[in-house]
Amino acid sequence: MNRFILALALATVPFPAAAALSPAEQKMTKTVDAEYERSVALLEKLVNQNSGSLNIEGVTKVGEMMRAELEPLGFQVTWVPMTEVKRAGHIVAIHKGDGKGKRMLLIGHLDTVFEKDSPFQTFTRKGEKGEGPGAGDDKGGMVVMVAALRAMQAAGALKDADIEIVLTGDEEDAGDPTSISRRDLIAAGKRADAALDFEGLSAIDGQDWGSIARRSSISWTLKVTAKSSHSSGIFTPNAGEGAIYAASRIIAAFRDELREPNLTYNVGLIAGGTQAEFDAGKIHATAAGKTNIIPSITLARGDMRTLTDEQTARVQAKMKAIVARGYPGAQADITFDEGYPAMAPTEGNRALLDKLNEVNADLGLKPMPALDPLKRGAGDIAFVAKDVDGLVGLGTDSDGDHAPGETVNLDSIHRQAKRAAILMTRLSKEPR
């Protein structure tokens, strides 16, 4: 609460524009502004290439576009195929500096939620707004990344910076298992001293927020089986109550008993009857049954989101205990997918946000308080969160992500690229 009050107080403090920017940092801000239309043109090019997570060819083409941007900046770019997990692949790009400053990991993603069959396919500019699939998530973020790196190069600040970039090709639908699909990202995190996530900026009512935490995203599957018999005998010791009632009691117990801060849990799909099954992707279900037959099977799918891995383990244990209580005439089992881990709010993450707020002060921008982690979803940075301090939200400000009409606020490129360029330059000068 004290930290929140302090953040509100700081938000009212005026900061003079460019109060303490070095000549090189001033050069960066001018470069970002001068190359604004170039950045918008790159965004349009990226958006107009469909790169839904399952569009192998499309994601690969976006990877080629990003290679063309990074190699002229001095990055050694590698394409890492991910055919073994049925995904396109990732970009891993390394810039070797002088080896003295902090090693930075920049994270973004090439893919979007919009597959080739989506009717939402093209970029449309409307003044300082840009509408298109992935315009904010995460093609806008990659544009900010490139704009910041160009600004550093123009000011002579990039040459000494040790930077590794990982652009995953399946952030929106991670290849399974993640031990393979996130192998290169995890390895990069172990080499880094700071991780900067170029997914979207959180801007609410004119206030920019910094993210120092991301909650997990883990799916679960409940399977309940029971004896099937004539419905006239339901609730008797011989027949029991059937699979649907038992599953309903379990789900109701989840709703009533699991509640705690920073936790959410959802039931997204359920099917029950004398027959029920999911498709291979577990996003569609078929079921059959009759009103006079006690149902023999119920399947349910849902997710849970936690702030720490410790919370994940504790809540999963509670869910397993609820499932194991015993229900008349029924047997129940719950399994959990691998999912995305949690990025807990640490003091190291807070220190990175403090450094960003020093940049904000010198740019004449308002401080960015720490965002409530309930207000954003899971992301790739969580896979490195145990190994390196991190900061989320260095991409563009956008609205309506993941839905037709997704719109990026193009003018956010200015302040986000300036913030990122100066922050990275200052980190590159800090001893490891």
Side-chain angles (χ1 to χ4, degrees), residues 40-349:
V40 175
L42 174 60
L43 178 61
E44 181 174 7
K45 180 181 177 181
L46 293 171
V47 170
N48 282 334
Q49 172 58 61
N50 178 277
S51 59
S53 305
L54 304 182
N55 181 358
I56 306 299
E57 181 183 6
V59 173
T60 303
K61 286 182 177 178
V62 172
E64 291 169 355
M65 295 175 188
M66 290 303 295
R67 176 192 290 272
E69 298 298 326
L70 295 173
E71 286 184 335
L73 294 171
F75 284 83
Q76 180 182 345
V77 181
T78 302
W79 176 256
V80 183
M82 279 289 138
T83 52
E84 55 191 321
V85 294
K86 300 180 181 179
R87 296 294 184 271
H90 312 317
I91 285 282
V92 177
I94 297 175
H95 184 280
K96 292 185 177 179
D98 60 13
K100 297 178 181 178
K102 288 192 181 296
R103 296 166 297 188
M104 290 167 278
L105 169 61
L106 313 187
I107 302 171
H109 61 92
L110 306 165
D111 63 318
T112 77
V113 299
F114 302 96
E115 298 293 344
K116 288 195 292 185
D117 59 355
S118 169
F120 188 48
Q121 291 289 348
T122 57
F123 182 85
T124 303
R125 184 171 182 178
K126 302 174 182 178
E128 293 306 298
K129 302 281 188 180
E131 181 182 292
D137 185 15
D138 184 36
K139 293 177 178 179
M142 292 193 296
V143 166
V144 168
M145 184 187 296
V146 170
L149 294 170
R150 283 180 186 155
M152 291 174 70
Q153 185 186 57
L158 183 58
K159 59 183 175 61
D160 292 333
D162 286 286
I163 299 173
E164 185 165 3
I165 298 172
V166 177
L167 304 175
T168 57
D170 59 346
E171 195 270 351
E172 302 293 2
D173 190 355
D176 184 32
T178 55
S179 58
I180 294 175
S181 65
R182 292 300 175 269
R183 177 181 54 207
D184 299 278
L185 176 62
I186 292 169
K190 294 182 184 300
R191 293 188 287 267
D193 300 305
L196 304 177
D197 184 333
F198 281 79
E199 286 206 276
L201 168 69
S202 291
I204 305 170
D205 297 329
Q207 170 68 60
D208 291 348
W209 295 76
S211 296
I212 60 171
R214 300 193 76 156
R215 293 190 303 151
S216 67
S217 178
I218 299 169
S219 297
W220 51 264
T221 301
L222 175 68
K223 181 178 181 180
V224 181
T225 57
K227 179 182 178 181
S228 182
S229 59
H230 198 286
S231 65
S232 63
I234 194 165
F235 306 131
T236 62
N238 244 1
E241 63 183 30
I244 291 179
Y245 274 126
S248 299
R249 290 172 64 186
I250 291 169
I251 291 170
F254 288 170
R255 180 186 182 279
D256 295 336
E257 299 177 30
L258 297 179
R259 298 185 186 189
E260 60 179 74
N262 298 310
L263 170 69
T264 55
Y265 39 95
N266 177 57
V267 184
L269 178 63
I270 189 167
T274 54
Q275 301 173 29
E277 62 180 359
F278 292 136
D279 69 348
K282 296 183 179 180
I283 60 173
H284 297 93
T286 56
K290 301 183 77 172
T291 59
N292 61 350
I293 300 177
I294 298 173
S296 58
I297 184 169
T298 299
L299 303 173
R301 287 272 288 169
D303 80 346
M304 56 178 291
R305 295 171 185 261
T306 57
L307 189 57
T308 67
D309 291 340
E310 292 76 17
Q311 186 179 36
T312 301
R314 183 175 64 255
V315 173
Q316 287 182 348
K318 288 182 180 179
M319 295 174 79
K320 289 177 181 178
I322 290 170
V323 170
R325 283 176 184 168
Y327 301 89
Q331 296 80 42
D333 180 65
I334 189 167
T335 57
F336 298 91
D337 294 353
E338 198 171 25
Y340 272 62
M343 174 189 178
T346 66
E347 289 306 315
N349 297 350

Side-chain angles (χ1 to χ4, degrees), residues 350-362:
R350 290 188 181 93
L352 271 179
L353 180 57
D354 290 343
K355 293 180 190 297
L356 180 60
N357 277 325
E358 291 173 6
V359 174
N360 285 327
D362 294 339

Side-chain angles (χ1 to χ4, degrees), residues 387-407:
D387 298 312
V388 61
D389 298 331
L391 187 62
V392 180
L394 291 166
T396 47
D397 171 34
S398 59
D399 302 295
D401 292 4
H402 286 207
E406 179 176 336
T407 300

Side-chain angles (χ1 to χ4, degrees), residues 355-432:
K355 293 180 190 297
L356 180 60
N357 277 325
E358 291 173 6
V359 174
N360 285 327
D362 294 339
L363 283 169
L365 299 172
K366 292 190 298 184
M368 298 167 67
L371 181 73
D372 182 345
L374 289 173
K375 294 185 177 179
R376 78 178 308 147
D380 276 341
I381 194 172
F383 286 98
V384 303
K386 288 184 176 180
D387 298 312
V388 61
D389 298 331
L391 187 62
V392 180
L394 291 166
T396 47
D397 171 34
S398 59
D399 302 295
D401 292 4
H402 286 207
E406 179 176 336
T407 300
V408 63
N409 296 309
L410 296 171
D411 60 358
S412 66
I413 293 172
H414 291 285
R415 65 185 188 277
Q416 287 294 82
K418 292 172 186 177
R419 283 169 169 154
I422 295 171
L423 177 63
M424 287 191 287
T425 298
R426 294 182 181 182
L427 288 173
S428 74
K429 295 177 180 178
E430 292 185 5
R432 287 169 51 188

